[in-house]
Amino acid sequence: MSSAQTTGRWAPSPTGDLHLGNLRTALLAWLFARSAGGRFLWRFEDLDGAVRSQFYESQLRDVAALGLDWDGEPVRQSDRLDLFRDAIANLRERDLTYECFCTRREIAEAAAAPHGPSPEGAYPGTCRQLSRVEREQKRASGRPPALRLRAGADGVGPTELTVTDRQFGDYTGIVDDFVLQRGDGTPAYNLAVVVDDAAQGITEVVRGDDLLPSTPRQAHLAGLLGLHAPSYAHVPLVLGPKGRRLAKRDGAVTLRDRLALGESPVDVLNLLLSSLGFERVESVEDLDMVGQHFDPASLPRQPWVYEPPTPSPAAAQG
Ligand code: GLU
């Protein structure tokens, strides 16, 4: 493999069956990588407590059923804890971290305090200011602290960073003192994703645009760790009929549901392809041909609003 070769990835959390929105993002991530003649890797982001063992296999099976393939064995973040711990130790040694004892509620209240609301979703830096004595008292209270990144200079608070996204152009977003390690010791998403993308040699991250606001944080962290940040392409999500992010409540939205309605995997693939403005294929093996003509510049910039098929009386009961 030459160092210039594109390497993309798909990084689902095995917490449930993939729905049409997830499958469409997987398809796009695959198309971006394969159309560039690149590698495509699978990583399970399974540090979350909501992981269920059956979904490792079922997610692989569903994505393969649509004709997507990947290189090598899928990796699991839960097998790679040492990598994340090393990165955290590195930041800790450089005094780029601090312990945070705040509850979600305290953060929400502090963010709304009269001395000026924090920018949306940003941690206001409460525990950064704790004196040694206060910190000891909090520790003694028994609440296990999370570990946060000391992102901006002291007293400056959240900063901003601009990243360039292949689909969105320049995007400027907050880099606050985000969590690196949760109170229970689990490495947090933003830390694990940065370390793993670098460790796996990912050159281009393609994922749902709900993660665009996290991207400046991730690019900043990659810089601190001396890692090469990948390029990014965020793709629009799929929305349900009420305009909310697609979810189970929206009906037959998983591959299993669609097969139960009598559809075949190629029908589901064609539904996704048509939502992207591509022509239908005869079989899932024809996906390679779609990859040969794939042009990211022609992708829709708006979310796809999924309209469920008109329910039959039997389906309406479920
Ligand atoms: N694991 C995340 C998810 O399932 C994706 C993270 C990423 O692509 O960076 O939404």
Side-chain angles (χ1 to χ4, degrees), residues 9 11-13 45 189 193 207 211:
R9 49 73 158 181
S13 298
E45 301 211 324
Y189 159 69
V193 76
R207 60 188 177 190
L211 289 166

Side-chain angles (χ1 to χ4, degrees), residues 154-171:
D154 269 324
V156 172
T159 50
E160 289 190 335
L161 185 74
T162 301
V163 292
T164 301
D165 184 275
R166 186 158 170 182
Q167 300 304 105
F168 278 79
D170 282 353
Y171 173 84

Side-chain angles (χ1 to χ4, degrees), residues 35-282:
S35 66
R39 287 157 37 89
F40 186 63
L41 308 184
W42 187 302
R43 174 172 84 235
F44 281 114
E45 301 211 324
D46 61 347
L47 300 179
D48 187 307
V51 166
R52 297 282 171 274
S53 57
Q54 69 269 31
F55 296 121
Y56 291 98
E57 270 313 307
S58 67
Q59 292 190 349
L60 291 165
R61 213 171 38 233
D62 286 0
V63 170
L66 297 187
L68 277 62
D69 61 350
W70 50 90
D71 296 300
E73 286 298 310
V75 302
R76 298 182 179 197
Q77 286 188 322
S78 57
D79 290 335
R80 300 156 71 83
L81 291 173
D82 285 350
L83 279 180
F84 312 133
R85 304 245 186 271
D86 287 351
I88 291 170
N90 168 335
L91 297 167
R92 239 183 163 143
E93 278 158 23
R94 293 156 62 199
D95 198 26
L96 287 171
T97 67
Y98 63 88
E99 292 178 345
C100 173
F101 299 85
C102 294
T103 60
R104 273 172 204 271
R105 187 169 166 183
E106 283 164 349
I107 295 171
E109 282 168 7
H115 53 75
S118 304
E120 204 185 324
Y123 178 65
T126 319
C127 284
R128 187 196 263 232
Q129 327 291 348
L130 291 180
S131 67
R132 182 192 288 261
V133 175
E134 286 170 322
R135 196 171 313 119
E136 290 307 330
Q137 282 168 351
K138 298 256 184 198
R139 278 197 192 130
S141 76
R143 186 180 163 74
L147 203 63
R148 287 188 181 270
L149 180 72
R150 197 184 288 281
D154 269 324
V156 172
T159 50
E160 289 190 335
L161 185 74
T162 301
V163 292
T164 301
D165 184 275
R166 186 158 170 182
Q167 300 304 105
F168 278 79
D170 282 353
Y171 173 84
T172 301
I174 296 295
V175 180
D176 62 350
D177 289 354
F178 59 87
V179 173
L180 301 168
Q181 180 177 285
R182 302 202 302 241
D184 64 2
T186 310
Y189 159 69
N190 279 315
L191 181 282
V193 76
V194 167
V195 170
D196 253 345
D197 281 338
Q200 291 189 279
I202 303 302
T203 64
E204 184 168 58
V205 166
V206 179
R207 60 188 177 190
D209 63 13
D210 54 327
L211 289 166
L212 187 57
S214 301
T215 306
R217 294 181 174 99
Q218 295 172 12
H220 176 70
L221 182 58
L224 287 178
L225 291 170
L227 303 173
H228 184 71
S231 62
Y232 300 98
H234 287 86
V235 295
L237 293 181
V238 178
L239 304 181
K242 294 203 172 125
R244 293 180 296 189
R245 190 192 299 202
L246 190 72
K248 290 248 168 65
R249 62 175 175 251
D250 296 315
V253 293
T254 66
L255 182 61
R256 190 207 308 255
D257 296 338
R258 309 299 296 200
L259 299 184
L261 289 179
E263 293 183 5
S264 65
V266 75
D267 294 330
V268 176
L269 178 62
N270 278 325
L271 178 64
L272 300 177
L273 289 174
S274 68
S275 80
L276 293 164
F278 299 138
E279 296 200 354
R280 298 170 59 85
V281 292
E282 291 296 319

